[in-house]
Amino acid sequence: MPISVHDRTFHLRTSTCSYIFAALPSGYLTHLYFGAPLRDAHVAHLLDDTNRAFSPYLPSGIMTDTLPQEAPSYGTGDFREPLVEIAGVDGTTASEFAFIAHRITDGKPTLDGLPSFYVEDESEAQTLEIELQDPISGAVVVLLYTAFEELGAITRSVRVENRAQTPLHLRRVLSASVDFPTADLDWIHLSGAWSRERDVVRSALRSGTQSVESRRGASSHQQNPFFALCSPQTTETAGEAWGFNLVYSGNFYAGIEVDQYGTPRAQIGINPFDFGWELQPGATFQAPEAVMLYSGAGLGALSRGFHRLIRQRLCRGAWRDRVRPVLVNSWEASYFNIDEETIVHLGEAARDAGIELLVMDDGWFGYRDNDTTSLGDWTPHAKKFPNGLSSLANRLNTLGLTFGLWLEPEMVSPDSDLYRSHPDWCLHVPGRRRTEARQQLVLDLSRSDVCDYLIETLAGVLSGANIGYIKWDMNRHMTEIGSALLPANQQRETAHRTMLGLYRVLDELTKRFPDVLFESCSGGGGRFDLGLLPFMPQAWTSDNTDAIARLRIQEGTSLAYPAISMGSHVSDSPNHQLHRTTPIGTRGAVALAGAFGYELDLNKLSDSEKEAIKRQVAFAKEVREITQFGDFYRLKSVFPTERNSSNESAWMFVSRDQREAVVTWVQVLALPNAAQSLLHLAGLNPSLDYELILIDLDEQSKAPSQITPLVLGGDVLMNAGIRVANHRGDFRAKVWHLKAK
Ligand code: DGJ
């Protein structure tokens, strides 16, 4: 059993970690340990009871300002960042939460209104509920912990219950807070911007608070909720690492405060900035779920732990375990210049290439010929699609293709029938300008009438034609966050209520249309988070489709998210964002590492390019079980370090039975008279022999150097490695398919 209790000491034990805390006689919950699995919970000797000047103490002598805590609150002696901050009816925020009771149950409960990790069988996990109460305000804080025994994860969340007779005002309800014993750690986060999402940023912890957050109403391109702590010596393959993420798509806070004694407090949850929640007597507030993983074997193992967990117990529905169709998307092929004939013409080329799904992107509805109009009017553009979507879908189906459609449901154009009929359906503050971004406004999904309308309208679109895929886009952040229906004292609930509305809409639609594959998108990868993956098991990784830029974007994303969740397409050359020219084989190699597809006009390609694409599609299909469900290894990082010039990138996927693997290697720039590169493969069975098949994804076979002998032992491949010749020409790639003999 993963959870045990002795003398009010709680031990959550999984295959990869132990997490231990205790309820002290004072009622305070003290954190004791998070790390490699321990046989038992005898770690109380770690408690530091030194008497410190300038730290208040409790009658019991405990100093809450130095006590490692599970559920820190503010106002009675701990001056560090709290987990919760609640104002009582008198307006004061001092609170002290004391342990009341605990309950252990098999399995894992769902969270009210929020997506979360789940179990399929009660034996997979156990859940511990800890009830704490502040006797003065009547606030009850319930900490929920689930230990996934085999998958190694611990999830945490917080529920606040108002057991008083008067309302409570919640100012801050984070989801997890963990005190670490030493600040001799690095922290890693994923930061960026539109078209360069999720760069890996690693730095030593320093005194004070270091944090990333979003105030944009979306998890954002700029910062991702994922972060990790690790030892300074931790590498891809060795050392300790702790990873945190949040099952949420809105404003988040992820931070670490290193206090005066070098004790880091790591926290994650809804961003307290501009957040507030009125909790009436008898009501409860459920915070989103945080997930924590520990690895004693480097960052690679930490990532693989997250990948497995997300693929198996966060993503859900029919597409969770299905390989993803190879698609072509019309956006970079023709942007807004689409009509029935252009799409069918693209479909014919797609059929010839072996592609399975055609996604018609933006420009098909209302009178949308550019991005100034029509969001909200989800009826086919009369001039471009006079026969409607059904006719188009049928023609594509006849070609053997599934029909996919782009939507941007959370938005409305001021120039739309929807806005003209319901100007109060967008987020706004009466009397203030409605700030536009990309000429659009954000629908107020905190309103149930708006959500109901969306559900019915989109259900109408989905049932009006044979649609097998939806690209769910979202192209601006929230401003003037106000809702026409909420009273003044609840306006600060709007942003979170909007997320709850979005989850309700998605939940309903994915239940009504279980066979439709949904892919999320937000100007590319602006909402790549755990909150959307339960509904939409893949996300468009970035609007930047340049293969070389994608090396960073996809590697950064892979730290936290599985390859199968990354929409990854071969696009034009020169690339539309960077104008860089890259070989088609390199574009294919990079796109292989995800939900594979194309984003270009297949009809404009030369015969040899078409030939290359056919081979790429065939290979992507042949190995997608491995690239999408296998174990992922980063062999060479494209992020520069003191020792790494970042001129190469190498990724590897290994099938679960270790009998097959795919290796992709990309050289960024050609170097004069360079040394050969040494590549140590990973994840293979050392006792097996593997045939190395060099795969040609390029326009014409350039007789690249082979690795000889062509059959090598798994032990040789991993320990001695293989040599990869430096290539002439920039942006070159090699791909191998390994098969056990
Ligand atoms: C932003 C997306 O990221 C693009 O792929 C494309 O769908 C455009 N929106 C369409 O407006």
Side-chain angles (χ1 to χ4, degrees):
M1 281 300 161
I3 301 181
S4 54
V5 193
H6 293 290
D7 290 340
R8 308 215 302 183
T9 297
F10 301 90
H11 185 180
L12 285 69
R13 194 179 191 284
T14 75
S15 59
T16 53
C17 74
S18 278
Y19 188 98
I20 303 172
F21 61 91
L24 299 176
S26 57
Y28 272 82
L29 274 192
T30 186
H31 178 80
L32 290 169
Y33 176 83
F34 181 23
L38 303 181
R39 273 184 292 134
D40 55 45
H42 293 148
V43 283
H45 61 280
L46 289 174
L47 270 182
D48 175 359
D49 54 6
T50 317
N51 216 337
R52 303 287 186 184
F54 262 85
S55 284
Y57 49 86
L58 300 177
S60 57
I62 282 181
M63 299 194 145
T64 51
D65 199 24
T66 55
L67 183 74
Q69 295 202 49
E70 276 306 291
S73 61
Y74 178 72
T76 55
D78 185 349
F79 298 104
R80 298 166 292 176
E81 296 276 358
L83 177 80
V84 291
E85 193 186 2
I86 300 170
V89 73
D90 61 1
T92 62
T93 51
S95 56
E96 202 166 23
F97 288 95
F99 175 80
I100 297 182
H102 81 273
R103 193 159 73 102
I104 296 174
T105 47
D106 287 341
K108 182 174 190 297
T110 54
L111 300 187
D112 210 16
L114 286 162
S116 57
F117 288 90
Y118 60 88
V119 293
E120 283 199 329
D121 190 293
E122 300 253 298
S123 63
E124 291 171 16
Q126 273 191 323
T127 297
L128 168 65
E129 280 191 30
I130 300 275
E131 202 174 295
L132 310 168
Q133 184 158 27
D134 176 44
I136 306 299
S137 67
V140 169
V141 165
V142 180
L143 306 178
L144 281 149
Y145 299 83
T146 298
F148 284 81
E149 193 160 18
E150 200 254 313
L151 286 165
I154 300 209
T155 58
R156 275 189 73 168
S157 73
V158 171
R159 190 170 74 232
V160 183
E161 298 177 6
N162 185 352
R163 297 208 189 138
Q165 303 302 315
T166 46
L168 294 172
H169 177 64
L170 313 187
R171 294 162 57 104
R172 173 186 182 109
V173 185
L174 297 182
S175 300
S177 180
V178 182
D179 289 343
F180 282 75
T182 170
D184 188 19
L185 296 170
D186 286 352
W187 86 295
I188 299 175
H189 53 95
L190 303 174
S191 302
W194 172 80
S195 97
R196 53 179 169 79
E197 296 90 340
R198 291 173 293 284
D199 253 11
V200 179
V201 182
R202 177 171 178 167
S203 55
L205 282 184
R206 52 169 177 73
S207 183
T209 299
Q210 40 249 277
S211 64
V212 289
E213 63 181 318
S214 169
R215 301 171 180 177
R216 295 167 177 270
S219 49
S220 86
H221 305 85
Q222 288 74 11
Q223 306 291 353
N224 191 270
F226 168 84
F227 72 91
L229 290 171
C230 64
S231 310
Q233 300 78 19
T234 294
T235 64
E236 186 65 21
T237 52
E240 292 194 286
W242 295 260
F244 295 78
N245 208 338
L246 189 68
V247 188
Y248 195 56
S249 314
N251 292 341
F252 74 90
Y253 169 84
I256 296 135
E257 180 183 4
V258 178
D259 76 357
Q260 55 189 329
Y261 301 111
T263 308
R265 173 170 288 174
Q267 298 186 315
I268 194 162
I270 292 182
N271 198 341
F273 177 86
D274 205 33
F275 168 82
W277 197 274
E278 292 298 308
L279 202 64
Q280 296 304 322
T284 62
F285 175 83
Q286 175 63 58
E289 183 162 271
V291 56
M292 316 186 292
L293 243 74
Y294 166 81
S295 158
L299 295 168
L302 185 75
S303 297
R304 284 187 292 283
F306 275 112
H307 297 172
R308 258 197 304 279
L309 181 72
I310 293 167
R311 275 196 320 249
Q312 295 176 16
R313 290 296 176 265
L314 182 71
C315 294
R316 60 192 197 199
W319 283 98
R320 185 189 71 180
D321 302 325
R322 276 195 212 159
V323 290
R324 304 297 156 76
V326 176
L327 67 81
V328 62
N329 179 297
S330 67
W331 183 240
E332 289 193 22
S334 5
Y335 295 98
F336 291 103
N337 304 319
I338 47 170
D339 59 20
E340 185 168 329
E341 292 317 313
T342 17
I343 294 294
V344 170
H345 195 40
L346 183 63
E348 284 159 354
R351 172 207 50 200
D352 295 346
I355 290 170
E356 299 158 305
L357 161 68
L358 186 145
V359 181
M360 179 162 74
D361 210 281
D362 198 351
W364 63 268
F365 51 93
Y367 38 96
R368 187 150 164 111
D369 297 321
N370 52 49
D371 59 12
T372 61
T373 174
S374 298
L375 293 172
D377 297 344
W378 302 113
T379 47
H381 191 299
K383 271 205 201 120
K384 296 177 178 178
F385 299 96
N387 307 314
L389 292 185
S390 180
S391 147
L392 175 63
N394 292 343
R395 289 179 71 185
L396 293 171
N397 294 163
T398 311
L399 293 173
L401 294 166
T402 301
F403 175 48
L405 192 66
W406 179 96
L407 289 166
E408 194 176 354
E410 297 156 72
M411 298 290 150
V412 62
S413 304
D415 178 15
S416 67
D417 291 343
L418 181 66
Y419 188 72
R420 281 182 283 273
S421 330
H422 298 286
D424 59 335
W425 275 16
C426 65
L427 294 178
H428 67 282
V429 176
R432 287 197 183 276
R433 183 194 61 234
R434 298 176 178 202
T435 305
E436 292 179 21
R438 209 192 188 203
Q439 290 87 228
Q440 60 197 58
L441 298 165
V442 183
L443 282 179
D444 179 1
L445 267 63
S446 74
R447 297 174 59 139
S448 57
D449 54 351
V450 177
C451 293
D452 292 341
Y453 168 84
L454 264 191
I455 291 168
E456 293 317 319
T457 305
L458 300 178
V461 174
L462 276 156
S463 43
N466 191 15
I467 295 170
Y469 163 106
I470 290 291
K471 178 175 173 186
W472 183 292
D473 208 346
M474 193 287 270
N475 284 305
R476 63 155 291 179
H477 292 143
M478 294 179 188
T479 54
E480 294 86 35
I481 304 175
S483 175
L485 294 192
L486 289 173
N489 66 342
Q490 286 188 272
Q491 284 295 337
R492 282 160 59 133
E493 299 175 11
T494 308
H496 179 58
R497 285 186 181 275
T498 304
M499 283 305 123
L500 296 177
L502 172 64
Y503 293 140
R504 177 162 83 83
V505 171
L506 285 168
D507 194 46
E508 183 68 29
L509 287 171
T510 49
K511 279 187 181 138
R512 281 201 211 173
F513 300 92
D515 286 321
V516 174
L517 171 60
F518 285 76
E519 174 160 350
S520 77
C521 174
S522 174
R527 231 171 25 178
F528 212 120
D529 58 58
L530 299 182
L532 291 183
L533 286 173
F535 311 103
M536 310 197 255
Q538 56 191 62
W540 183 222
T541 316
S542 177
D543 271 349
N544 189 342
T545 58
D546 174 77
I548 300 305
R550 278 291 186 120
L551 293 176
R552 285 175 84 105
I553 296 168
Q554 292 178 204
E555 182 185 328
T557 307
S558 79
L559 216 56
Y561 304 96
I564 192 172
S565 65
M566 290 186 228
S568 193
H569 301 172
V570 173
S571 65
D572 236 342
S573 182
N575 171 267
H576 291 197
Q577 292 79 39
L578 298 188
H579 292 223
R580 179 156 36 212
T581 302
T582 51
I584 199 159
T586 303
R587 283 174 271 149
V590 176
L592 267 182
F596 183 81
Y598 290 84
E599 183 98 11
L600 42 67
D601 190 346
L602 297 165
N603 287 303
K604 289 203 182 124
L605 301 177
S606 67
D607 286 347
S608 58
E609 285 172 317
K610 284 184 185 159
E611 205 36 56
I613 284 182
K614 257 192 209 164
R615 274 183 281 113
Q616 292 185 354
V617 172
F619 183 64
K621 286 180 183 168
E622 184 186 346
V623 296
R624 62 185 157 186
E625 191 74 41
I626 309 168
T627 54
Q628 297 180 358
F629 295 103
D631 279 339
F632 175 71
Y633 293 84
R634 292 176 290 261
L635 303 181
K636 283 202 185 268
S637 171
V638 80
F639 287 97
T641 61
E642 252 172 58
R643 287 162 171 264
N644 175 19
S645 67
S646 80
N647 197 41
E648 289 170 89
S649 161
W651 299 330
M652 180 166 179
F653 301 87
V654 183
S655 65
R656 295 315 304 272
D657 64 4
Q658 292 176 298
R659 296 197 60 83
E660 270 191 84
V662 175
V663 180
T664 62
W665 173 84
V666 178
Q667 167 189 286
V668 179
L669 295 178
L671 300 173
N673 192 22
Q676 287 192 337
S677 178
L678 187 62
L679 208 55
H680 288 103
L681 305 194
L684 299 172
N685 181 336
S687 328
L688 290 177
D689 285 336
Y690 293 88
E691 185 181 5
L692 277 85
I693 306 156
L694 192 61
I695 305 295
D696 182 13
L697 300 178
D698 239 313
E699 238 171 292
Q700 61 243 356
S701 183
K702 298 195 179 63
S705 59
Q706 274 288 13
I707 285 169
T708 46
L710 291 176
V711 175
L712 289 167
D715 54 348
V716 172
L717 289 165
M718 293 191 290
N719 298 313
I722 55 174
R723 285 211 176 275
V724 189
N726 182 259
H727 243 298
R728 291 219 188 122
D730 297 336
F731 320 129
R732 301 288 155 171
K734 282 183 181 165
V735 174
W736 292 275
H737 187 182
L738 274 65
K739 289 183 181 172
K741 291 295 282 177

